[in-house]
Amino acid sequence: DAKTTQPPSMDCAEGRAANLPCNHSTISGNEYVYWYRQIHSQGPQYIIHGLKNNETNEMASLIITEDRKSSTLILPHATLRDTAVYYCIVSPNTGGFKTIFGAGTRLFVKA
Amino acid sequence: EPEVTQTPSHQVTQMGQEVILRCVPISNHLYFYWYRQILGQKVEFLVSFYNNEISEKSEIFDDQFSVERPDGSNFTLKIRSTKLEDSAMYFCASSEPTSPYSYEQYFGPGTRLTVT
C-alpha cells in the first residue's frame, strides 16, 4: 500500500498557485519524496523530488516540513494543461525500486 | 528531449494468445520497469530490471509474464497466455541514477492491451 495520504481532489483557478499537500508520517530517514502526475490516460510524468530541503525546478516547487512528515507541491501559475492526477510517492534509496502509486489528488484547473 | 517509446499503441488479442509489448527506454538509462493500469484503477508496479536480470517483481508478475532486453535498445514484456483480466494500459519506464539517491523514472505513453 502507498505510504502517503493525499486529498482525493482539489480545484484551482487558472493563473493561481496550486498547492497540493501530502502526508508521509512514516517516511524513513533515507527515503525521498517524489511527485509525479498523470494527464488523462498518458504515462505518469516525473515532476520533482526531494529529501529534506526545499526544491524548485521549471515545473514546480517542493516544500518539505522540517520533520519530513509532510510536503506540499506548488505549481506557481496553474494552467488548464496542469489538470491531472498528482501522485506523492516516498521511495527507498535503491535503483530498481517499485514505485507504489496511490490514488493521488485529482487537480482541476478552471478558467 | 529523449523519451521512452512503446509499440504498439493498442494491441487486441484473443484470450490464451501470447503478446509481446515493446519498449525503447532512454538510451543511457540503466533501470527498466513495467507497470500496468487497469481502466479506472491505480498504476501498479509489475517488474524492474537491471543488469540483465529482474531486480524486483510484484505478485502480479507471475509465471505468465516475462521480460527481456534482447539487444542494447529494446525492453520487452511477454504475456504467454493472456487472460481477460490482463486488459489494461501497460507502461514502460526507465531511470538512471543522477545521484546516489535519485532515481526518477521516465514513462512511455503506454500500450493499451485489450484481451477478448
Side-chain angles (χ1 to χ4, degrees):
Chain A
D1 289 334
K3 297 166 64 175
T4 62
T5 303
Q6 299 178 252
S9 66
M10 295 181 62
D11 289 345
C12 178
E14 188 178 22
R16 298 287 192 136
N19 296 284
L20 292 92
C22 179
N23 286 322
H24 32 79
S25 58
T26 61
I27 191 170
S28 301
N30 60 0
E31 287 182 316
Y32 275 60
V33 179
Y34 283 79
W35 283 83
Y36 289 82
R37 73 180 182 183
Q38 187 175 26
I39 298 172
H40 194 44
S41 297
Q42 298 176 23
Q45 178 189 22
Y46 164 77
I47 301 173
I48 198 168
H49 72 281
L51 180 61
K52 55 184 177 182
N53 298 319
N54 298 337
E55 303 288 344
T56 295
N57 63 19
E58 64 279 3
M59 290 183 68
S61 295
L62 174 60
I63 309 298
I64 302 174
T65 57
E66 193 169 341
D67 64 7
R68 302 207 326 123
K69 293 184 176 182
S70 65
S71 61
T72 301
L73 178 74
I74 301 171
L75 307 178
H77 305 287
T79 70
L80 299 179
R81 288 176 294 181
D82 291 321
T83 292
V85 179
Y86 287 78
Y87 301 100
C88 170
I89 295 163
V90 297
S91 73
N93 62 330
T94 56
F97 66 87
K98 57 182 178 182
T99 298
I100 300 175
F101 287 83
T105 295
R106 187 171 294 276
L107 176 69
F108 295 94
V109 180
K110 300 181 177 181
Chain B
E1 185 175 324
E3 59 182 18
V4 176
T5 59
Q6 292 185 241
T7 53
S9 57
H10 191 190
Q11 174 88 48
V12 181
T13 189
Q14 289 190 327
M15 194 167 51
Q17 295 297 304
E18 173 184 287
V19 294
I20 297 176
L21 309 183
R22 303 180 191 280
C23 168
V24 179
I26 294 173
S27 63
N28 61 340
H29 283 190
L30 303 176
Y31 298 89
F32 314 108
Y33 315 81
W34 283 101
Y35 294 81
R36 78 173 187 189
Q37 186 174 32
I38 295 170
L39 187 63
Q41 298 187 22
K42 299 176 186 177
V43 177
E44 300 174 289
F45 169 82
L46 292 178
V47 66
S48 59
F49 191 85
Y50 170 72
N51 199 27
N52 285 318
E53 58 183 30
I54 291 173
S55 303
E56 188 168 10
K57 60 183 181 179
S58 72
E59 309 78 42
I60 303 168
F61 194 87
D62 61 21
D63 292 343
Q64 292 298 313
F65 291 88
S66 62
V67 289
E68 191 179 29
R69 189 156 162 79
D71 52 43
S73 60
N74 291 283
F75 181 52
T76 61
L77 174 70
K78 181 193 290 185
I79 309 175
R80 289 189 182 83
S81 179
T82 50
K83 307 181 184 68
L84 294 176
E85 54 265 36
D86 293 327
S87 294
M89 183 75 90
Y90 288 80
F91 295 109
C92 173
S94 67
S95 69
E96 175 202 32
T98 55
S99 75
Y101 307 114
S102 176
Y103 295 89
E104 61 265 30
Q105 296 177 20
Y106 294 86
F107 287 76
T111 292
R112 180 166 297 284
L113 177 65
T114 302
V115 182
T116 61

